[in-house]
PDB file of all heavy atoms in Angstrom:
ATOM      1  N   THR A  28      96.115  44.494-170.511  1.00  0.00           N
ATOM      2  CA  THR A  28      94.750  44.170-170.912  1.00  0.00           C
ATOM      3  C   THR A  28      94.102  43.271-169.871  1.00  0.00           C
ATOM      4  O   THR A  28      94.792  42.655-169.039  1.00  0.00           O
ATOM      5  CB  THR A  28      94.717  43.413-172.258  1.00  0.00           C
ATOM      6  OG1 THR A  28      95.454  42.188-172.129  1.00  0.00           O
ATOM      7  CG2 THR A  28      95.284  44.250-173.393  1.00  0.00           C
ATOM      8  N   PHE A  29      92.780  43.198-169.953  1.00  0.00           N
ATOM      9  CA  PHE A  29      92.031  42.187-169.209  1.00  0.00           C
ATOM     10  C   PHE A  29      91.627  41.123-170.225  1.00  0.00           C
ATOM     11  O   PHE A  29      90.746  41.372-171.066  1.00  0.00           O
ATOM     12  CB  PHE A  29      90.783  42.786-168.557  1.00  0.00           C
ATOM     13  CG  PHE A  29      91.080  43.672-167.382  1.00  0.00           C
ATOM     14  CD1 PHE A  29      91.135  45.054-167.543  1.00  0.00           C
ATOM     15  CD2 PHE A  29      91.301  43.141-166.124  1.00  0.00           C
ATOM     16  CE1 PHE A  29      91.410  45.879-166.463  1.00  0.00           C
ATOM     17  CE2 PHE A  29      91.585  43.951-165.041  1.00  0.00           C
ATOM     18  CZ  PHE A  29      91.636  45.315-165.208  1.00  0.00           C
ATOM     19  N   PRO A  30      92.277  39.965-170.224  1.00  0.00           N
ATOM     20  CA  PRO A  30      91.964  38.943-171.241  1.00  0.00           C
ATOM     21  C   PRO A  30      90.525  38.452-171.108  1.00  0.00           C
ATOM     22  O   PRO A  30      89.971  38.366-170.010  1.00  0.00           O
ATOM     23  CB  PRO A  30      92.954  37.822-170.938  1.00  0.00           C
ATOM     24  CG  PRO A  30      93.374  38.043-169.523  1.00  0.00           C
ATOM     25  CD  PRO A  30      93.311  39.518-169.277  1.00  0.00           C
ATOM     26  N   LYS A  31      89.929  38.161-172.240  1.00  0.00           N
ATOM     27  CA  LYS A  31      88.551  37.671-172.261  1.00  0.00           C
ATOM     28  C   LYS A  31      88.519  36.227-171.781  1.00  0.00           C
ATOM     29  O   LYS A  31      89.370  35.418-172.148  1.00  0.00           O
ATOM     30  CB  LYS A  31      87.971  37.777-173.669  1.00  0.00           C
ATOM     31  CG  LYS A  31      86.459  37.644-173.728  1.00  0.00           C
ATOM     32  CD  LYS A  31      85.943  38.027-175.088  1.00  0.00           C
ATOM     33  CE  LYS A  31      84.418  37.952-175.153  1.00  0.00           C
ATOM     34  NZ  LYS A  31      83.758  38.910-174.258  1.00  0.00           N
ATOM     35  N   ARG A  32      87.525  35.916-170.979  1.00  0.00           N
ATOM     36  CA  ARG A  32      87.402  34.554-170.452  1.00  0.00           C
ATOM     37  C   ARG A  32      86.849  33.621-171.529  1.00  0.00           C
ATOM     38  O   ARG A  32      85.973  34.014-172.301  1.00  0.00           O
ATOM     39  CB  ARG A  32      86.451  34.510-169.248  1.00  0.00           C
ATOM     40  CG  ARG A  32      86.807  35.453-168.124  1.00  0.00           C
ATOM     41  CD  ARG A  32      85.928  35.211-166.907  1.00  0.00           C
ATOM     42  NE  ARG A  32      86.328  33.991-166.232  1.00  0.00           N
ATOM     43  CZ  ARG A  32      87.357  33.900-165.389  1.00  0.00           C
ATOM     44  NH1 ARG A  32      88.060  34.973-165.105  1.00  0.00           N
ATOM     45  NH2 ARG A  32      87.668  32.766-164.828  1.00  0.00           N
ATOM     46  N   ARG A  33      87.358  32.413-171.541  1.00  0.00           N
ATOM     47  CA  ARG A  33      86.795  31.372-172.390  1.00  0.00           C
ATOM     48  C   ARG A  33      85.988  30.455-171.481  1.00  0.00           C
ATOM     49  O   ARG A  33      86.537  29.855-170.544  1.00  0.00           O
ATOM     50  CB  ARG A  33      87.892  30.599-173.118  1.00  0.00           C
ATOM     51  CG  ARG A  33      88.609  31.424-174.168  1.00  0.00           C
ATOM     52  CD  ARG A  33      89.727  30.641-174.808  1.00  0.00           C
ATOM     53  NE  ARG A  33      90.778  30.327-173.830  1.00  0.00           N
ATOM     54  CZ  ARG A  33      91.835  29.572-174.097  1.00  0.00           C
ATOM     55  NH1 ARG A  33      91.971  29.050-175.297  1.00  0.00           N
ATOM     56  NH2 ARG A  33      92.741  29.331-173.167  1.00  0.00           N
ATOM     57  N   GLU A  34      84.699  30.391-171.721  1.00  0.00           N
ATOM     58  CA  GLU A  34      83.791  29.683-170.816  1.00  0.00           C
ATOM     59  C   GLU A  34      84.252  28.254-170.556  1.00  0.00           C
ATOM     60  O   GLU A  34      84.448  27.467-171.473  1.00  0.00           O
ATOM     61  CB  GLU A  34      82.370  29.681-171.385  1.00  0.00           C
ATOM     62  CG  GLU A  34      81.340  29.138-170.420  1.00  0.00           C
ATOM     63  CD  GLU A  34      79.927  29.310-170.931  1.00  0.00           C
ATOM     64  OE1 GLU A  34      79.728  30.085-171.888  1.00  0.00           O
ATOM     65  OE2 GLU A  34      79.027  28.672-170.378  1.00  0.00           O
ATOM     66  N   GLY A  35      84.423  27.951-169.297  1.00  0.00           N
ATOM     67  CA  GLY A  35      84.781  26.601-168.891  1.00  0.00           C
ATOM     68  C   GLY A  35      86.255  26.270-169.024  1.00  0.00           C
ATOM     69  O   GLY A  35      86.679  25.184-168.646  1.00  0.00           O
ATOM     70  N   GLU A  36      87.053  27.209-169.543  1.00  0.00           N
ATOM     71  CA  GLU A  36      88.471  26.912-169.746  1.00  0.00           C
ATOM     72  C   GLU A  36      89.393  27.845-168.953  1.00  0.00           C
ATOM     73  O   GLU A  36      90.508  27.479-168.611  1.00  0.00           O
ATOM     74  CB  GLU A  36      88.822  27.051-171.243  1.00  0.00           C
ATOM     75  CG  GLU A  36      88.074  26.062-172.134  1.00  0.00           C
ATOM     76  CD  GLU A  36      88.448  26.265-173.599  1.00  0.00           C
ATOM     77  OE1 GLU A  36      89.525  26.817-173.876  1.00  0.00           O
ATOM     78  OE2 GLU A  36      87.641  25.887-174.461  1.00  0.00           O
ATOM     79  N   THR A  37      88.936  29.062-168.697  1.00  0.00           N
ATOM     80  CA  THR A  37      89.801  30.060-168.077  1.00  0.00           C
ATOM     81  C   THR A  37      89.882  29.874-166.571  1.00  0.00           C
ATOM     82  O   THR A  37      88.871  29.992-165.871  1.00  0.00           O
ATOM     83  CB  THR A  37      89.281  31.480-168.386  1.00  0.00           C
ATOM     84  OG1 THR A  37      89.223  31.652-169.807  1.00  0.00           O
ATOM     85  CG2 THR A  37      90.204  32.522-167.781  1.00  0.00           C
ATOM     86  N   VAL A  38      91.083  29.570-166.086  1.00  0.00           N
ATOM     87  CA  VAL A  38      91.274  29.424-164.651  1.00  0.00           C
ATOM     88  C   VAL A  38      91.846  30.703-164.030  1.00  0.00           C
ATOM     89  O   VAL A  38      92.041  30.770-162.826  1.00  0.00           O
ATOM     90  CB  VAL A  38      92.189  28.230-164.311  1.00  0.00           C
ATOM     91  CG1 VAL A  38      91.493  26.936-164.644  1.00  0.00           C
ATOM     92  CG2 VAL A  38      93.526  28.337-165.042  1.00  0.00           C
ATOM     93  N   ARG A  39      92.101  31.710-164.874  1.00  0.00           N
ATOM     94  CA  ARG A  39      92.507  33.011-164.336  1.00  0.00           C
ATOM     95  C   ARG A  39      91.405  33.550-163.450  1.00  0.00           C
ATOM     96  O   ARG A  39      90.212  33.395-163.747  1.00  0.00           O
ATOM     97  CB  ARG A  39      92.774  34.016-165.466  1.00  0.00           C
ATOM     98  CG  ARG A  39      93.960  33.704-166.347  1.00  0.00           C
ATOM     99  CD  ARG A  39      94.140  34.797-167.367  1.00  0.00           C
ATOM    100  NE  ARG A  39      94.658  36.020-166.741  1.00  0.00           N
ATOM    101  CZ  ARG A  39      95.878  36.499-166.962  1.00  0.00           C
ATOM    102  NH1 ARG A  39      96.700  35.862-167.779  1.00  0.00           N
ATOM    103  NH2 ARG A  39      96.278  37.598-166.374  1.00  0.00           N
ATOM    104  N   LEU A  40      91.787  34.200-162.370  1.00  0.00           N
ATOM    105  CA  LEU A  40      90.800  34.791-161.479  1.00  0.00           C
ATOM    106  C   LEU A  40      90.101  35.948-162.178  1.00  0.00           C
ATOM    107  O   LEU A  40      90.560  36.470-163.196  1.00  0.00           O
ATOM    108  CB  LEU A  40      91.476  35.282-160.207  1.00  0.00           C
ATOM    109  CG  LEU A  40      92.199  34.219-159.371  1.00  0.00           C
ATOM    110  CD1 LEU A  40      92.800  34.861-158.115  1.00  0.00           C
ATOM    111  CD2 LEU A  40      91.271  33.072-158.999  1.00  0.00           C
ATOM    112  N   PHE A  41      88.963  36.350-161.624  1.00  0.00           N
ATOM    113  CA  PHE A  41      88.275  37.524-162.139  1.00  0.00           C
ATOM    114  C   PHE A  41      89.091  38.769-161.757  1.00  0.00           C
ATOM    115  O   PHE A  41      89.922  38.711-160.835  1.00  0.00           O
ATOM    116  CB  PHE A  41      86.862  37.598-161.559  1.00  0.00           C
ATOM    117  CG  PHE A  41      85.968  36.489-162.022  1.00  0.00           C
ATOM    118  CD1 PHE A  41      85.882  35.301-161.311  1.00  0.00           C
ATOM    119  CD2 PHE A  41      85.232  36.619-163.185  1.00  0.00           C
ATOM    120  CE1 PHE A  41      85.072  34.254-161.746  1.00  0.00           C
ATOM    121  CE2 PHE A  41      84.416  35.580-163.627  1.00  0.00           C
ATOM    122  CZ  PHE A  41      84.331  34.388-162.914  1.00  0.00           C
ATOM    123  N   PRO A  42      88.897  39.884-162.454  1.00  0.00           N
ATOM    124  CA  PRO A  42      89.689  41.086-162.149  1.00  0.00           C
ATOM    125  C   PRO A  42      89.562  41.501-160.689  1.00  0.00           C
ATOM    126  O   PRO A  42      88.535  41.259-160.045  1.00  0.00           O
ATOM    127  CB  PRO A  42      89.072  42.149-163.066  1.00  0.00           C
ATOM    128  CG  PRO A  42      88.480  41.374-164.192  1.00  0.00           C
ATOM    129  CD  PRO A  42      87.969  40.105-163.581  1.00  0.00           C
ATOM    130  N   GLU A  43      90.604  42.144-160.193  1.00  0.00           N
ATOM    131  CA  GLU A  43      90.541  42.689-158.843  1.00  0.00           C
ATOM    132  C   GLU A  43      89.645  43.928-158.844  1.00  0.00           C
ATOM    133  O   GLU A  43      89.491  44.612-159.857  1.00  0.00           O
ATOM    134  CB  GLU A  43      91.934  43.062-158.343  1.00  0.00           C
ATOM    135  CG  GLU A  43      92.829  41.868-158.080  1.00  0.00           C
ATOM    136  CD  GLU A  43      94.157  42.266-157.453  1.00  0.00           C
ATOM    137  OE1 GLU A  43      94.321  43.468-157.157  1.00  0.00           O
ATOM    138  OE2 GLU A  43      94.996  41.384-157.258  1.00  0.00           O
ATOM    139  N   ILE A  44      89.071  44.213-157.681  1.00  0.00           N
ATOM    140  CA  ILE A  44      88.209  45.393-157.536  1.00  0.00           C
ATOM    141  C   ILE A  44      89.076  46.603-157.244  1.00  0.00           C
ATOM    142  O   ILE A  44      89.834  46.621-156.277  1.00  0.00           O
ATOM    143  CB  ILE A  44      87.199  45.190-156.392  1.00  0.00           C
ATOM    144  CG1 ILE A  44      86.306  43.980-156.669  1.00  0.00           C
ATOM    145  CG2 ILE A  44      86.364  46.444-156.185  1.00  0.00           C
ATOM    146  CD1 ILE A  44      85.430  43.584-155.487  1.00  0.00           C
ATOM    147  N   ASP A  45      88.970  47.611-158.078  1.00  0.00           N
ATOM    148  CA  ASP A  45      89.640  48.879-157.813  1.00  0.00           C
ATOM    149  C   ASP A  45      88.547  49.940-157.745  1.00  0.00           C
ATOM    150  O   ASP A  45      87.985  50.353-158.762  1.00  0.00           O
ATOM    151  CB  ASP A  45      90.649  49.219-158.915  1.00  0.00           C
ATOM    152  CG  ASP A  45      91.503  50.422-158.543  1.00  0.00           C
ATOM    153  OD1 ASP A  45      90.933  51.520-158.401  1.00  0.00           O
ATOM    154  OD2 ASP A  45      92.732  50.257-158.383  1.00  0.00           O
ATOM    155  N   ARG A  46      88.248  50.381-156.554  1.00  0.00           N
ATOM    156  CA  ARG A  46      87.128  51.280-156.340  1.00  0.00           C
ATOM    157  C   ARG A  46      87.334  52.627-157.042  1.00  0.00           C
ATOM    158  O   ARG A  46      86.397  53.211-157.595  1.00  0.00           O
ATOM    159  CB  ARG A  46      86.912  51.471-154.837  1.00  0.00           C
ATOM    160  CG  ARG A  46      86.401  50.202-154.167  1.00  0.00           C
ATOM    161  CD  ARG A  46      86.790  50.148-152.676  1.00  0.00           C
ATOM    162  NE  ARG A  46      86.251  48.977-152.016  1.00  0.00           N
ATOM    163  CZ  ARG A  46      86.773  47.753-152.096  1.00  0.00           C
ATOM    164  NH1 ARG A  46      87.855  47.542-152.834  1.00  0.00           N
ATOM    165  NH2 ARG A  46      86.223  46.737-151.467  1.00  0.00           N
ATOM    166  N   GLY A  47      88.576  53.115-157.016  1.00  0.00           N
ATOM    167  CA  GLY A  47      88.860  54.385-157.673  1.00  0.00           C
ATOM    168  C   GLY A  47      88.646  54.295-159.185  1.00  0.00           C
ATOM    169  O   GLY A  47      88.108  55.208-159.796  1.00  0.00           O
ATOM    170  N   ALA A  48      89.068  53.180-159.773  1.00  0.00           N
ATOM    171  CA  ALA A  48      88.903  53.000-161.209  1.00  0.00           C
ATOM    172  C   ALA A  48      87.429  52.886-161.579  1.00  0.00           C
ATOM    173  O   ALA A  48      86.974  53.446-162.591  1.00  0.00           O
ATOM    174  CB  ALA A  48      89.658  51.747-161.670  1.00  0.00           C
ATOM    175  N   LEU A  49      86.647  52.169-160.782  1.00  0.00           N
ATOM    176  CA  LEU A  49      85.224  52.044-161.055  1.00  0.00           C
ATOM    177  C   LEU A  49      84.536  53.409-160.969  1.00  0.00           C
ATOM    178  O   LEU A  49      83.675  53.741-161.799  1.00  0.00           O
ATOM    179  CB  LEU A  49      84.581  51.073-160.067  1.00  0.00           C
ATOM    180  CG  LEU A  49      84.964  49.597-160.224  1.00  0.00           C
ATOM    181  CD1 LEU A  49      84.405  48.769-159.075  1.00  0.00           C
ATOM    182  CD2 LEU A  49      84.471  49.044-161.565  1.00  0.00           C
ATOM    183  N   ALA A  50      84.903  54.186-159.961  1.00  0.00           N
ATOM    184  CA  ALA A  50      84.310  55.518-159.819  1.00  0.00           C
ATOM    185  C   ALA A  50      84.660  56.389-161.015  1.00  0.00           C
ATOM    186  O   ALA A  50      83.833  57.173-161.503  1.00  0.00           O
ATOM    187  CB  ALA A  50      84.802  56.160-158.527  1.00  0.00           C
ATOM    188  N   TYR A  51      85.882  56.244-161.524  1.00  0.00           N
ATOM    189  CA  TYR A  51      86.308  57.004-162.702  1.00  0.00           C
ATOM    190  C   TYR A  51      85.463  56.633-163.915  1.00  0.00           C
ATOM    191  O   TYR A  51      85.013  57.502-164.668  1.00  0.00           O
ATOM    192  CB  TYR A  51      87.788  56.732-162.977  1.00  0.00           C
ATOM    193  CG  TYR A  51      88.334  57.438-164.206  1.00  0.00           C
ATOM    194  CD1 TYR A  51      88.844  58.734-164.109  1.00  0.00           C
ATOM    195  CD2 TYR A  51      88.340  56.816-165.453  1.00  0.00           C
ATOM    196  CE1 TYR A  51      89.343  59.382-165.234  1.00  0.00           C
ATOM    197  CE2 TYR A  51      88.832  57.456-166.581  1.00  0.00           C
ATOM    198  CZ  TYR A  51      89.334  58.731-166.468  1.00  0.00           C
ATOM    199  OH  TYR A  51      89.816  59.375-167.579  1.00  0.00           O
ATOM    200  N   ILE A  52      85.234  55.339-164.111  1.00  0.00           N
ATOM    201  CA  ILE A  52      84.436  54.891-165.248  1.00  0.00           C
ATOM    202  C   ILE A  52      83.031  55.476-165.181  1.00  0.00           C
ATOM    203  O   ILE A  52      82.501  55.999-166.168  1.00  0.00           O
ATOM    204  CB  ILE A  52      84.370  53.354-165.291  1.00  0.00           C
ATOM    205  CG1 ILE A  52      85.756  52.762-165.563  1.00  0.00           C
ATOM    206  CG2 ILE A  52      83.398  52.880-166.376  1.00  0.00           C
ATOM    207  CD1 ILE A  52      85.825  51.262-165.409  1.00  0.00           C
ATOM    208  N   GLN A  53      82.409  55.386-164.000  1.00  0.00           N
ATOM    209  CA  GLN A  53      81.064  55.944-163.845  1.00  0.00           C
ATOM    210  C   GLN A  53      81.063  57.442-164.145  1.00  0.00           C
ATOM    211  O   GLN A  53      80.177  57.938-164.855  1.00  0.00           O
ATOM    212  CB  GLN A  53      80.548  55.700-162.435  1.00  0.00           C
ATOM    213  CG  GLN A  53      79.134  56.251-162.214  1.00  0.00           C
ATOM    214  CD  GLN A  53      78.754  56.332-160.746  1.00  0.00           C
ATOM    215  OE1 GLN A  53      79.309  55.643-159.902  1.00  0.00           O
ATOM    216  NE2 GLN A  53      77.797  57.208-160.437  1.00  0.00           N
ATOM    217  N   ASP A  54      82.046  58.152-163.617  1.00  0.00           N
ATOM    218  CA  ASP A  54      82.137  59.603-163.836  1.00  0.00           C
ATOM    219  C   ASP A  54      82.129  59.956-165.323  1.00  0.00           C
ATOM    220  O   ASP A  54      81.358  60.804-165.769  1.00  0.00           O
ATOM    221  CB  ASP A  54      83.444  60.138-163.226  1.00  0.00           C
ATOM    222  CG  ASP A  54      83.270  60.576-161.780  1.00  0.00           C
ATOM    223  OD1 ASP A  54      82.130  60.586-161.288  1.00  0.00           O
ATOM    224  OD2 ASP A  54      84.291  60.897-161.152  1.00  0.00           O
ATOM    225  N   ILE A  55      83.029  59.315-166.073  1.00  0.00           N
ATOM    226  CA  ILE A  55      83.210  59.725-167.469  1.00  0.00           C
ATOM    227  C   ILE A  55      82.023  59.289-168.324  1.00  0.00           C
ATOM    228  O   ILE A  55      81.615  60.022-169.235  1.00  0.00           O
ATOM    229  CB  ILE A  55      84.529  59.168-168.047  1.00  0.00           C
ATOM    230  CG1 ILE A  55      85.693  59.538-167.132  1.00  0.00           C
ATOM    231  CG2 ILE A  55      84.760  59.726-169.456  1.00  0.00           C
ATOM    232  CD1 ILE A  55      85.826  61.037-166.870  1.00  0.00           C
ATOM    233  N   ILE A  56      81.449  58.131-168.044  1.00  0.00           N
ATOM    234  CA  ILE A  56      80.256  57.721-168.795  1.00  0.00           C
ATOM    235  C   ILE A  56      79.134  58.704-168.568  1.00  0.00           C
ATOM    236  O   ILE A  56      78.452  59.139-169.511  1.00  0.00           O
ATOM    237  CB  ILE A  56      79.823  56.295-168.390  1.00  0.00           C
ATOM    238  CG1 ILE A  56      80.831  55.261-168.886  1.00  0.00           C
ATOM    239  CG2 ILE A  56      78.437  55.972-168.972  1.00  0.00           C
ATOM    240  CD1 ILE A  56      80.542  53.844-168.430  1.00  0.00           C
ATOM    241  N   GLU A  57      78.910  59.093-167.319  1.00  0.00           N
ATOM    242  CA  GLU A  57      77.842  60.055-167.032  1.00  0.00           C
ATOM    243  C   GLU A  57      78.156  61.414-167.649  1.00  0.00           C
ATOM    244  O   GLU A  57      77.258  62.091-168.176  1.00  0.00           O
ATOM    245  CB  GLU A  57      77.643  60.178-165.522  1.00  0.00           C
ATOM    246  CG  GLU A  57      77.022  58.930-164.910  1.00  0.00           C
ATOM    247  CD  GLU A  57      76.777  59.039-163.418  1.00  0.00           C
ATOM    248  OE1 GLU A  57      77.358  59.936-162.784  1.00  0.00           O
ATOM    249  OE2 GLU A  57      76.001  58.223-162.890  1.00  0.00           O
ATOM    250  N   ALA A  58      79.423  61.805-167.616  1.00  0.00           N
ATOM    251  CA  ALA A  58      79.815  63.085-168.202  1.00  0.00           C
ATOM    252  C   ALA A  58      79.638  63.094-169.717  1.00  0.00           C
ATOM    253  O   ALA A  58      79.475  64.157-170.323  1.00  0.00           O
ATOM    254  CB  ALA A  58      81.264  63.396-167.847  1.00  0.00           C
ATOM    255  N   SER A  59      79.665  61.914-170.351  1.00  0.00           N
ATOM    256  CA  SER A  59      79.481  61.839-171.801  1.00  0.00           C
ATOM    257  C   SER A  59      78.057  62.221-172.191  1.00  0.00           C
ATOM    258  O   SER A  59      77.793  62.561-173.353  1.00  0.00           O
ATOM    259  CB  SER A  59      79.798  60.430-172.309  1.00  0.00           C
ATOM    260  OG  SER A  59      78.783  59.509-171.942  1.00  0.00           O
ATOM    261  N   GLN A  60      77.133  62.163-171.231  1.00  0.00           N
ATOM    262  CA  GLN A  60      75.726  62.457-171.508  1.00  0.00           C
ATOM    263  C   GLN A  60      75.209  63.698-170.787  1.00  0.00           C
ATOM    264  O   GLN A  60      74.117  64.171-171.072  1.00  0.00           O
ATOM    265  CB  GLN A  60      74.864  61.257-171.068  1.00  0.00           C
ATOM    266  CG  GLN A  60      75.220  59.933-171.704  1.00  0.00           C
ATOM    267  CD  GLN A  60      74.826  59.866-173.161  1.00  0.00           C
ATOM    268  OE1 GLN A  60      73.861  60.496-173.572  1.00  0.00           O
ATOM    269  NE2 GLN A  60      75.570  59.109-173.952  1.00  0.00           N
ATOM    270  N   ASP A  61      75.991  64.206-169.838  1.00  0.00           N
ATOM    271  CA  ASP A  61      75.523  65.275-168.963  1.00  0.00           C
ATOM    272  C   ASP A  61      76.495  66.461-169.032  1.00  0.00           C
ATOM    273  O   ASP A  61      77.590  66.410-168.479  1.00  0.00           O
ATOM    274  CB  ASP A  61      75.414  64.753-167.537  1.00  0.00           C
ATOM    275  CG  ASP A  61      74.775  65.742-166.577  1.00  0.00           C
ATOM    276  OD1 ASP A  61      74.887  66.966-166.813  1.00  0.00           O
ATOM    277  OD2 ASP A  61      74.190  65.295-165.583  1.00  0.00           O
ATOM    278  N   THR A  62      76.081  67.515-169.715  1.00  0.00           N
ATOM    279  CA  THR A  62      76.942  68.693-169.899  1.00  0.00           C
ATOM    280  C   THR A  62      77.310  69.321-168.566  1.00  0.00           C
ATOM    281  O   THR A  62      78.470  69.719-168.343  1.00  0.00           O
ATOM    282  CB  THR A  62      76.237  69.734-170.774  1.00  0.00           C
ATOM    283  OG1 THR A  62      75.905  69.136-172.022  1.00  0.00           O
ATOM    284  CG2 THR A  62      77.145  70.935-171.024  1.00  0.00           C
ATOM    285  N   GLN A  63      76.338  69.419-167.661  1.00  0.00           N
ATOM    286  CA  GLN A  63      76.590  70.045-166.367  1.00  0.00           C
ATOM    287  C   GLN A  63      77.630  69.264-165.561  1.00  0.00           C
ATOM    288  O   GLN A  63      78.536  69.841-164.961  1.00  0.00           O
ATOM    289  CB  GLN A  63      75.286  70.155-165.575  1.00  0.00           C
ATOM    290  CG  GLN A  63      75.440  70.903-164.265  1.00  0.00           C
ATOM    291  CD  GLN A  63      74.109  71.077-163.557  1.00  0.00           C
ATOM    292  OE1 GLN A  63      73.084  70.560-163.990  1.00  0.00           O
ATOM    293  NE2 GLN A  63      74.127  71.801-162.449  1.00  0.00           N
ATOM    294  N   LYS A  64      77.492  67.938-165.577  1.00  0.00           N
ATOM    295  CA  LYS A  64      78.457  67.132-164.853  1.00  0.00           C
ATOM    296  C   LYS A  64      79.839  67.243-165.484  1.00  0.00           C
ATOM    297  O   LYS A  64      80.850  67.326-164.777  1.00  0.00           O
ATOM    298  CB  LYS A  64      78.022  65.667-164.833  1.00  0.00           C
ATOM    299  CG  LYS A  64      79.086  64.763-164.247  1.00  0.00           C
ATOM    300  CD  LYS A  64      78.533  63.520-163.641  1.00  0.00           C
ATOM    301  CE  LYS A  64      79.627  62.808-162.875  1.00  0.00           C
ATOM    302  NZ  LYS A  64      79.155  61.696-162.094  1.00  0.00           N
ATOM    303  N   ARG A  65      79.888  67.260-166.788  1.00  0.00           N
ATOM    304  CA  ARG A  65      81.181  67.373-167.472  1.00  0.00           C
ATOM    305  C   ARG A  65      81.875  68.682-167.114  1.00  0.00           C
ATOM    306  O   ARG A  65      83.080  68.705-166.840  1.00  0.00           O
ATOM    307  CB  ARG A  65      80.964  67.282-168.991  1.00  0.00           C
ATOM    308  CG  ARG A  65      82.242  67.211-169.788  1.00  0.00           C
ATOM    309  CD  ARG A  65      81.982  66.780-171.210  1.00  0.00           C
ATOM    310  NE  ARG A  65      81.130  67.681-171.950  1.00  0.00           N
ATOM    311  CZ  ARG A  65      79.908  67.399-172.367  1.00  0.00           C
ATOM    312  NH1 ARG A  65      79.361  66.221-172.097  1.00  0.00           N
ATOM    313  NH2 ARG A  65      79.199  68.279-173.051  1.00  0.00           N
ATOM    314  N   GLU A  66      81.119  69.758-167.074  1.00  0.00           N
ATOM    315  CA  GLU A  66      81.703  71.052-166.728  1.00  0.00           C
ATOM    316  C   GLU A  66      82.145  71.079-165.264  1.00  0.00           C
ATOM    317  O   GLU A  66      83.189  71.668-164.936  1.00  0.00           O
ATOM    318  CB  GLU A  66      80.691  72.165-166.989  1.00  0.00           C
ATOM    319  CG  GLU A  66      81.249  73.569-166.789  1.00  0.00           C
ATOM    320  CD  GLU A  66      82.476  73.841-167.648  1.00  0.00           C
ATOM    321  OE1 GLU A  66      82.591  73.289-168.761  1.00  0.00           O
ATOM    322  OE2 GLU A  66      83.339  74.630-167.191  1.00  0.00           O
ATOM    323  N   HIS A  67      81.385  70.408-164.407  1.00  0.00           N
ATOM    324  CA  HIS A  67      81.746  70.336-162.993  1.00  0.00           C
ATOM    325  C   HIS A  67      83.085  69.615-162.840  1.00  0.00           C
ATOM    326  O   HIS A  67      83.951  70.041-162.059  1.00  0.00           O
ATOM    327  CB  HIS A  67      80.643  69.603-162.224  1.00  0.00           C
ATOM    328  CG  HIS A  67      80.552  70.032-160.796  1.00  0.00           C
ATOM    329  ND1 HIS A  67      79.463  69.774-159.996  1.00  0.00           N
ATOM    330  CD2 HIS A  67      81.423  70.701-159.991  1.00  0.00           C
ATOM    331  CE1 HIS A  67      79.673  70.262-158.790  1.00  0.00           C
ATOM    332  NE2 HIS A  67      80.849  70.823-158.760  1.00  0.00           N
ATOM    333  N   ILE A  68      83.272  68.523-163.567  1.00  0.00           N
ATOM    334  CA  ILE A  68      84.532  67.776-163.518  1.00  0.00           C
ATOM    335  C   ILE A  68      85.669  68.629-164.063  1.00  0.00           C
ATOM    336  O   ILE A  68      86.779  68.645-163.510  1.00  0.00           O
ATOM    337  CB  ILE A  68      84.410  66.450-164.284  1.00  0.00           C
ATOM    338  CG1 ILE A  68      83.453  65.502-163.549  1.00  0.00           C
ATOM    339  CG2 ILE A  68      85.783  65.797-164.454  1.00  0.00           C
ATOM    340  CD1 ILE A  68      83.198  64.195-164.281  1.00  0.00           C
TER     341      ILE A  68
END
């Protein structure tokens, strides 16, 4: 999991950037609304 930050208390760093994972998220969100994109995937 990615634990939720508690304002002013959490010293854990922010999540690392994973470009592939971000691209995947964008893909599936757009595909949830776009039939053509979903079929293309």
Side-chain angles (χ1 to χ4, degrees):
T28 60
F29 288 97
K31 196 169 182 64
R32 305 188 74 81
R33 291 177 295 175
E34 188 172 345
E36 297 179 23
T37 302
V38 292
R39 293 183 73 112
L40 300 181
F41 293 91
E43 291 186 4
I44 300 171
D45 189 296
R46 291 154 177 79
L49 291 173
Y51 178 88
I52 294 171
Q53 181 195 337
D54 270 353
I55 307 304
I56 290 175
E57 290 182 343
S59 73
Q60 303 288 330
D61 187 332
T62 302
Q63 185 176 5
K64 172 153 190 171
R65 187 166 62 247
E66 186 57 31
H67 208 164
I68 292 176

